[in-house]
Amino acid sequence: MFEKELIEGCCRKERKYQRVLFDTFYKPVFRLAKRYIGDHHESEDVVSIVFNKAFKNIDNFEFRGKGSLRKWLNTIGINESLRALKKVKRLQFLEEEIEEKAIETVDSHLDLYKVNMILQQMPRGYRTVFNLYAIDGYSHSEIAEVLNISRNTSKSQLMKARKFIICELNKASSYGT
């Protein structure tokens, strides 16, 4: 019932409930924005927009059980991250190919920090489609609609993102990092 009470308090514009909501969901929303944006300061800007929109529209939020508040905030976070990327026209979809020969077996002992660093190095188009599909569960049709690209471009960018990740993991394991 924590979420429901939190939502009700925020609907009444009670600062203590707004503070708890912010403190509880700040880190997950920031990590989500950083996954898409890459830059720390720009991600902070997106987080500010997310919470401003959330507090402004909390009256319209429909509680659907535990976790629905987090899902709602994540949806706002994804939309605002994509809006920020489009606004500065940094969302580009590359057509270059990753070398096939670099794709080998990847060590099964993956370091989360290493994987995160690889995601940050990934071209934004690859990273955006990868995040939407592999992490946030969007279908290629949904991605195509949200990013205003074709379904095939979404599939192609995902394939290239996967190749990029594997290639970078193989490089890291060859250098012993």
Side-chain angles (χ1 to χ4, degrees):
M1 265 320 180
F2 168 74
E3 285 183 24
K4 192 165 177 110
E5 182 183 335
L6 191 57
I7 294 160
E8 290 168 356
C10 288
C11 286
R12 292 188 303 267
K13 309 288 186 232
E14 292 183 32
R15 294 275 184 215
K16 76 176 188 178
Y17 287 99
Q18 291 174 331
R19 185 73 213 185
V20 170
L21 183 131
F22 180 83
D23 289 344
T24 303
F25 294 102
Y26 170 82
K27 283 183 182 178
V29 171
F30 175 79
R31 283 191 301 265
L32 181 137
K34 184 114 172 31
R35 239 186 322 120
Y36 282 92
I37 306 292
D39 180 76
H40 180 86
H41 298 292
E42 289 179 47
S43 299
E44 289 278 357
D45 292 343
V46 167
V47 170
S48 294
I49 293 167
V50 169
F51 282 102
N52 282 330
K53 283 193 172 197
F55 291 133
K56 183 178 176 183
N57 297 303
I58 195 85
D59 292 334
N60 300 325
F61 174 74
E62 187 178 317
F63 182 73
R64 295 183 179 164
K66 186 177 179 182
S68 61
L69 180 59
R70 179 185 212 120
K71 185 169 176 30
W72 183 64
L73 290 170
N74 283 350
T75 300
I76 298 170
I78 291 168
N79 291 335
E80 289 307 317
S81 296
L82 295 175
R83 189 170 289 119
L85 287 171
K86 288 176 184 176
K87 187 169 151 183
V88 291
K89 298 190 189 297
R90 286 185 290 157
L91 189 57
Q92 299 173 341
F93 299 98
L94 303 177
E95 295 304 321
E96 65 190 42
E97 285 296 320
I98 306 290
E99 290 183 41
E100 289 287 334
K101 66 182 182 184
I103 299 176
E104 301 166 7
T105 307
V106 177
D107 184 3
S108 62
H109 301 290
L110 295 179
D111 179 341
L112 191 56
Y113 176 77
K114 223 184 277 185
V115 171
N116 189 43
M117 291 305 296
I118 290 169
L119 289 176
Q120 294 306 311
Q121 295 167 358
M122 188 183 291
R124 286 182 191 258
Y126 295 3
R127 182 174 63 224
T128 302
V129 171
F130 181 81
N131 280 326
L132 287 168
Y133 185 86
I135 298 174
D136 295 315
Y138 282 57
S139 70
H140 286 295
S141 297
E142 292 168 324
I143 294 169
E145 186 178 327
V146 167
L147 298 179
N148 198 26
I149 59 176
S150 75
R151 193 169 180 271
N152 285 337
T153 299
S154 175
K155 287 180 176 183
S156 166
Q157 294 294 297
L158 178 63
M159 180 191 69
K160 290 172 185 174
R162 287 177 173 161
K163 286 181 180 180
F164 182 91
I165 292 168
I166 291 168
C167 182
E168 292 300 312
L169 287 171
N170 284 329
K171 281 183 200 174
S173 66
S174 330
Y175 294 116
T177 57

